[in-house]
Amino acid sequence: MTLVFLGTPSFAVPSLERIVAAGHEVLAVFTQPDRPKGRGGGLSSSPVKDAALRLGLAVHQPERVRRPGTRGAAKKMQPDAMVVVGYGQIIPQSIIDIPRHASSCAWIATAEVSRSGSHPVGDREW
């Protein structure tokens, strides 16, 4: 299955790694742009970007996912499905409708992880 992955935080990394390990073709990873961090203001990349680069995947970092250029780039890929894990922006319907199997898209939000009782970093209970 060909997929596009949208995610940013560290708790999204295991999902991306498992998708790749399962043999799915990840056409691209969309994540938040690098942001200034710390006193020096040096740019810091997202955990998902770091993982995607380590896995040899194409990375896209649009400032706003709802801009037409982002939709056009994702649409050209013609993914079978999309996986969204804590992307950090509201995904517009125009993006949701892109995959061939839009009803099979996986959406995992921070709130869902919290409700499940699992901690995204470590094993402690909430």
Side-chain angles (χ1 to χ4, degrees):
M1 179 174 279
T2 61
L3 303 171
V4 169
F5 186 92
L6 293 90
T8 300
S10 59
F11 79 82
V13 172
S15 298
L16 176 60
E17 291 172 336
R18 287 184 185 124
I19 287 167
V20 171
H24 297 289
E25 181 183 359
V26 179
L27 302 171
V29 172
F30 285 77
T31 188
Q32 295 291 314
D34 297 348
R35 304 278 188 215
K37 189 171 186 173
R39 289 183 139 190
L43 293 179
S44 178
S45 58
S46 76
V48 166
K49 178 184 178 181
D50 295 340
L53 293 174
R54 179 175 41 81
L55 294 167
L57 304 173
V59 175
H60 297 266
Q61 296 182 274
E63 189 64 40
R64 297 279 177 249
V65 73
R66 57 181 58 251
R67 292 203 173 134
T70 303
R71 182 183 182 283
K75 189 171 184 171
K76 280 183 187 177
M77 294 174 204
Q78 298 181 326
D80 293 325
M82 296 176 113
V83 177
V84 181
V85 184
Y87 181 69
Q89 294 181 30
I90 295 172
I91 309 298
Q93 191 66 44
S94 62
I95 300 288
I96 293 169
D97 291 340
I98 289 173
R100 294 177 197 165
H101 307 291
S103 63
S104 65
C105 291
W107 306 95
I108 303 170
T110 307
E112 292 171 2
V113 172
S114 297
R115 279 194 299 270
S116 72
S118 62
H119 189 278
V121 183
D123 295 327
R124 76 172 174 89
E125 293 282 284
W126 283 92

